[in-house]
């Protein structure tokens, strides 16, 4: 009986897939003694001995050891036996091969981005690379007077636009100021001359405000003060009430230079440019007087609210007629050189640089509007020159000498001084801060020396001004950030001497008077426009190239302000 239940007839879990196997009794292996007999404890009902007599052993020795072995085997069988032992055993699955897991992770990082491609960008990230990166948010959480903060941001943007700032600088200033005052749900939209702000806090009614900029003025000193105000707000040293008061002081403070000095600066600039491009002292004197007359005329036309196109055309016609009149009186001058000074004063240099900057930085609508405005001014200059040439031809003015200039009549050090004076006069005309006049003039002089070197190396007349503009743009950013001013304030006056005023006049003369060479005039006008755009693009390129080297300048400026 014990042999039948002990070994031959017990069920194996691997050969019994019956679903009722768990109800069957589990019979442990019957222990065997040393002689091979089945132990009495292994027979009968499992877990209970059928006869208690065998527990008493009188024979000590091998029989006692066999009894101990039988009891140990029985107790192990009791522990291991359970109703589920008869169930089929599922073979253990093989451990997955993880040898290529690391390689798969590396491959996934290479072909998959760390963030979803449609993830929204935090608006404050737009401040990266600007002087207002990492603004200090004032304690107290979101501003309860959100509308007052929005109104201040709009007034700030309007002031910056009126003073000639680019769209990117205006946007970064708005974002920095609103973030510093606790508004983190702001959207900014700048379109040509309008600024729209939307504030939509969680579980609150959104607020949208709009401001349209309808006037412009030359006030680079005011733009510098606005830049410094934004910097102090970002570093956490100015609250909103103080910021409103200081912005009102900036907009009402008189410009650094009186009007009569600006008028004289126009004349001195024109005279220095005439001497710079190869004119004589008499031609410089005539250009000085004509440009003073142009400034007085422009001021009067502005009082009469004459559109800018007609005011520019009238001023260009006055400069051209003045040169033609003295040429008619047989005064030994080069009319083309006399006209150049006035043309350079009328060119919308700052607007072209701002438009190019906006186009590159992702503001196409604003750039298109500014380009259109600048091209209308350019068209006004061309139209005024053309009208003056036609009038001169009608009244019998002899044919003008519009040959190209062979360069200045003075040695290089004297010409460098003339460029320094011309740039300083433009700084006065643009109402630049007094502390920036000298650095800007030095940067312009350095740009001229580089331009002379490039020309001596045989670089073309289109590429040489662009290369000089790139260097001027780089130096302007470094100096401007150290002086607490935007780059535009330093770069625009420093590149004025590079513009091809003589090429514009000669091209218009060929188009208007010399009918047989009208094709050459059109090509020359196109070349002049190309050079103007190349100079503007060079300034923007220099600004971007200098950014990696000027990341610490804004933070250093903030630390200096805190020590004050």
């Amino acid at each position: 009986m014990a042999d039948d239940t002990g070994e031959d007839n017990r069920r194996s879990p691997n050969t019994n897939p019956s679903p009722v196997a768990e109800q069957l009794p589990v019979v442990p292996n019957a222990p065997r003694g040393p002689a091979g007999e089945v132990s009495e404890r292994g027979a009968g009902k499992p877990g209970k001995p059928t006869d208690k007599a065998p527990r008493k052993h009188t024979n000590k020795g091998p029989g006692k050891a066999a009894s101990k072995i039988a009891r140990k085997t029985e107790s192990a069988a009791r522990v291991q036996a359970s109703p589920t032992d008869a169930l089929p055993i599922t073979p253990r699955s093989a451990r997955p091969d993880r040898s290529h897991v690391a390689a798969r992770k590396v491959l996934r990082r290479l072909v998959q981005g760390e963030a979803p491609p449609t993830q929204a960008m935090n608006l404050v990230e737009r401040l990266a690379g600007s002087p207002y990166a990492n603004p200090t948010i004032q304690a107290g959480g979101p501003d309860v007077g959100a509308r007052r903060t929005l109104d201040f941001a709009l007034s700030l943007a309007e002031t910056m636009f009126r003073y000639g700032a680019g769209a990117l600088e205006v946007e970064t200033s708005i974002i920095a100021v609103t973030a510093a005052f606790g508004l983190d749900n702001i959207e900014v939209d700048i379109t040509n001359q309008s600024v729209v702000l939307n504030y939509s806090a969680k579980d609150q009614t959104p607020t949208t405000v709009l401001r349209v900029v309808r006037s412009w003025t030359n006030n680079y000193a005011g733009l510098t003060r606005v830049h410094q105000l934004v910097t102090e707000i970002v570093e956490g040293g100015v609250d909103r009430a103080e910021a409103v008061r200081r912005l009102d002081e900036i907009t009402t403070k008189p410009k650094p230079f009186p009007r009569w000095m600006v008028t004289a600066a126009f004349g001195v600039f024109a005279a220095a440019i005439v001497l710079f491009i190869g004119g004589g002292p008499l031609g410089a004197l005539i250009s000085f007087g004509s440009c003073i007359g142009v400034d007085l005329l422009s001021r009067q036309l502005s009082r009469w609210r004459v559109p800018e196109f007609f005011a520019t055309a009238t001023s260009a016609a006055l400069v051209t007629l003045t040169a033609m009149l003295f040429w008619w009186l047989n005064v030994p001058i080069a009319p083309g050189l006399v006209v150049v000074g006035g043309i350079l004063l009328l060119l919308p240099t700052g607007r072209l640089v701002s438009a190019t900057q906006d186009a590159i930085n992702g503001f196409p609508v604003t750039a298109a509007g500014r380009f259109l405005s600048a091209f209308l001014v350019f068209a006004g200059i061309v139209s005024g020159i053309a009208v003056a040439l036609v009038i001169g031809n009608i009244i019998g003015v002899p044919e003008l000498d519009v040959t190209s200039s062979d360069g200045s009549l003075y040695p290089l050090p004297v010409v460098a001084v003339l460029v320094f004076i011309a740039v300083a006069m433009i700084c006065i005309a643009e109402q630049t801060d007094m502390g920036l006049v000298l650095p800007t003039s030095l940067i312009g002089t350095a740009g001229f020396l580089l331009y002379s070197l490039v020309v001596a190396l045989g670089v073309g007349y289109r590429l040489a001004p662009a290369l000089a503009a790139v260097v001027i743009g780089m130096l302007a950013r470094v100096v401007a950030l150290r002086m607490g001013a935007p780059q535009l304030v330093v770069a625009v006056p420093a590149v004025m001497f590079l513009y091809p005023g003589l090429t514009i006049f000669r091209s218009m003369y060929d188009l208007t008077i010399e009918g047989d060479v009208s094709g050459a005039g059109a090509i020359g006008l196109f070349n002049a426009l190309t050079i103007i755009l190349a100079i503007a693009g060079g300034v923007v390129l220099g600004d971007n190239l200098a950014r990696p080297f000027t990341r610490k300048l804004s933070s250093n400026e903030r630390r200096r302000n805190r020590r004050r």
Side-chain angles (χ1 to χ4, degrees), residues 77-92:
R78 288 177 183 176
V79 174
Q80 295 177 357
S82 66
T84 60
D85 286 346
L87 291 176
I89 299 176
T90 304
R92 234 180 237 184

Side-chain angles (χ1 to χ4, degrees), residues 281-366:
L282 186 57
L285 182 61
I286 294 174
S287 182
F288 173 84
S290 64
C291 286
I292 288 180
V294 165
D295 182 66
L296 297 176
L297 177 63
S298 299
R299 195 186 310 176
Q300 186 61 45
L301 294 176
S302 177
R303 293 196 190 99
W304 293 343
R305 297 189 180 277
V306 176
E308 186 179 20
F309 175 84
F310 299 108
T312 304
T314 304
S315 300
L318 176 61
V319 172
T320 307
L321 285 174
T322 302
M324 294 176 66
L325 177 63
F326 281 95
W327 175 257
W328 194 13
L329 297 176
N330 296 323
V331 177
I333 61 172
L337 303 182
V338 173
V339 174
V340 169
I343 293 177
L344 294 184
L345 284 175
L346 297 174
L347 282 175
T349 309
R351 208 174 307 176
L352 283 170
V353 173
S354 298
T356 306
Q357 191 177 38
D358 294 342
I360 294 174
N361 292 326
F363 298 90
V365 178
T366 305

